[in-house]
């Protein structure tokens, strides 16, 4: 087990291994650093872009197999080594890691790995930005609360047709419970309304979550046959009216207007 004082000094321009700096639209969520502990997600959301990406295609597995999370080889020691380097690279600057672009960090087989990562991050004074549909346990909230900073986020797209779009995910109301737990523990909270699935769907997602959400991220539906059938301009304008009246922070992802 490495400690901050035993961490090897990073070489000039050294690249980390499993922790990385996202580029482009991805960095709108990550705000600096991100980590994918593996690939695959049991939620099997119909709008998910990950099964079409190169990492999944390289596995040459049928789409149905995507429901099984596959961790990266030796992910915990690799993550610990990266955290030790990131601690030295950051110096006195606060740093957080976003989880995750290729899986739900607290779902199924990934959850124990994520909890171990949070313990490692605590040792190296690194914060977390979480996006999950899974139901967080009191122990999960406690681990997050020990970090120097923690932003707990949920994805909310629709309260009416969610079983069609997210057939294996917990209900929207179970996810909102995460916000309540996190807010009650003094953590920052946020909601990803991406993808936007309609005007009324977006407005209702905001309504049920706004008492416990600090900020929102709004983004269009991509990589789907219905993507161009949705009036994003109207949906976002209505949502912004509600968010500004409520005094909520919000981000509109690039290309969503």
């Amino acid at each position: 087990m490495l400690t901050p004082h035993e961490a090897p000094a990073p070489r000039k321009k050294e690249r980390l291994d499993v922790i990385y700096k996202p580029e482009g639209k991805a960095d709108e969520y990550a705000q600096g650093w991100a980590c994918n502990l593996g690939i695959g997600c049991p939620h099997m959301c119909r709008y998910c872009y990950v099964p079409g990406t190169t990492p999944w295609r390289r596995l040459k597995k049928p789409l149905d197999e995507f429901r099984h999370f596959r961790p990266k080889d030796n992910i915990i020691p690799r993550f610990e080594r990266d955290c030790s380097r990131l601690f030295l690279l950051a110096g006195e600057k606060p740093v957080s890691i976003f989880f995750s672009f290729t899986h739900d960090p607290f779902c199924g087989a990934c959850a124990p790995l994520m909890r171990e990562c949070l313990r490692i991050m605590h040792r190296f004074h690194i914060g977390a930005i979480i996006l999950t549909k899974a139901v967080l346990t009191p122990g999960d909230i406690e681990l997050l609360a020990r970090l120097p900073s923690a932003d707990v986020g949920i994805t909310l797209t629709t309260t009416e047709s969610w079983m069609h779009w997210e057939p294996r995910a917990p209900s929207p109301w179970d996810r909102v419970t995460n916000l309540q737990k996190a807010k009650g523990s003094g953590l920052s909270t946020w909601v990803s309304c991406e993808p936007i699935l309609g005007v009324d769907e977006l407005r209702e997602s905001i309504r049920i979550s706004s008492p416990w959400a600090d900020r929102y991220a709004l983004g269009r539906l991509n990589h789907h046959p219905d993507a161009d059938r949705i009036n994003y301009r109207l949906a976002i304008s209505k949502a912004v009216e509600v968010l500004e009246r409520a005094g909520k922070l919000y981000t509109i992802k690039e290309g969503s207007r």
Side-chain angles (χ1 to χ4, degrees), residues 51-102:
T53 61
T54 299
W56 176 256
R57 290 200 302 268
R58 283 176 179 162
L59 293 175
K60 297 181 180 179
K61 298 286 186 179
L63 180 58
D64 187 58
E65 288 296 303
F66 186 76
R67 71 183 188 276
H68 300 300
F69 171 75
R70 290 172 169 78
K72 293 179 179 178
D73 293 340
N74 302 312
I75 183 59
I76 294 302
R78 292 167 69 188
F79 181 80
E80 181 180 28
R81 184 167 57 250
D82 273 5
C83 282
S84 72
R85 294 168 176 167
L86 185 57
F87 171 80
L88 294 176
L89 287 170
E92 298 297 320
K93 183 179 178 181
V95 62
S96 292
I97 302 172
F98 174 84
F99 299 89
S100 153
F101 289 111
T102 61

Side-chain angles (χ1 to χ4, degrees), residues 63-164:
L63 180 58
D64 187 58
E65 288 296 303
F66 186 76
R67 71 183 188 276
H68 300 300
F69 171 75
R70 290 172 169 78
K72 293 179 179 178
D73 293 340
N74 302 312
I75 183 59
I76 294 302
R78 292 167 69 188
F79 181 80
E80 181 180 28
R81 184 167 57 250
D82 273 5
C83 282
S84 72
R85 294 168 176 167
L86 185 57
F87 171 80
L88 294 176
L89 287 170
E92 298 297 320
K93 183 179 178 181
V95 62
S96 292
I97 302 172
F98 174 84
F99 299 89
S100 153
F101 289 111
T102 61
H103 60 85
D104 187 316
F106 282 98
C107 192
C110 186
L113 297 175
M114 186 68 239
R115 291 167 186 141
E116 185 58 32
C117 287
L118 293 178
R119 296 183 184 99
I120 292 170
M121 292 163 68
H122 171 66
R123 297 206 316 270
F124 289 101
H125 313 291
I126 296 171
I129 303 172
I130 300 294
L131 183 61
T132 183
K133 294 187 182 82
V135 177
L136 298 177
T137 69
D140 295 333
I141 296 294
E142 182 179 353
L143 285 172
L144 288 161
R146 295 173 62 199
L147 301 181
S149 65
D151 291 346
V152 177
I154 62 171
T155 299
L156 279 182
T157 55
T158 175
T159 59
E160 294 184 3
S161 57
W162 69 273
M163 292 188 72
H164 165 73

Side-chain angles (χ1 to χ4, degrees), residues 27-47:
D27 195 38
E28 295 180 65
Y29 273 5
Q31 302 175 23
W33 298 93
C35 182
N36 303 317
L37 303 179
I39 192 168
C41 181
H43 298 324
M44 295 297 289
C45 300
R46 298 182 188 276
Y47 51 72

Side-chain angles (χ1 to χ4, degrees), residues 172-249:
W173 299 274
D174 287 338
R175 295 173 226 170
V176 169
T177 299
N178 284 349
L179 297 184
Q180 294 174 286
K181 293 175 184 176
K183 200 66 183 168
S185 296
L187 302 178
S188 298
T189 56
W190 65 289
V191 176
S192 172
C193 293
E194 183 185 13
I196 295 169
L197 298 177
V199 178
D200 293 336
E201 287 88 342
L202 178 57
R203 188 161 48 193
E204 181 64 9
S205 293
I206 293 171
R207 186 191 70 81
I208 70 168
S209 59
S210 61
W212 304 281
D214 296 323
R215 61 184 177 89
Y216 286 79
L218 314 179
R220 61 170 285 142
L221 175 66
N222 291 306
H223 315 292
H224 193 278
D226 293 338
D228 293 329
R229 301 177 187 175
I230 298 167
N231 190 336
Y232 300 105
R233 184 182 298 274
L234 179 60
I236 289 173
S237 66
K238 295 289 186 182
V240 166
E241 289 177 8
V242 174
L243 293 172
E244 291 189 344
R245 281 201 304 268
K248 302 293 182 180
L249 299 174

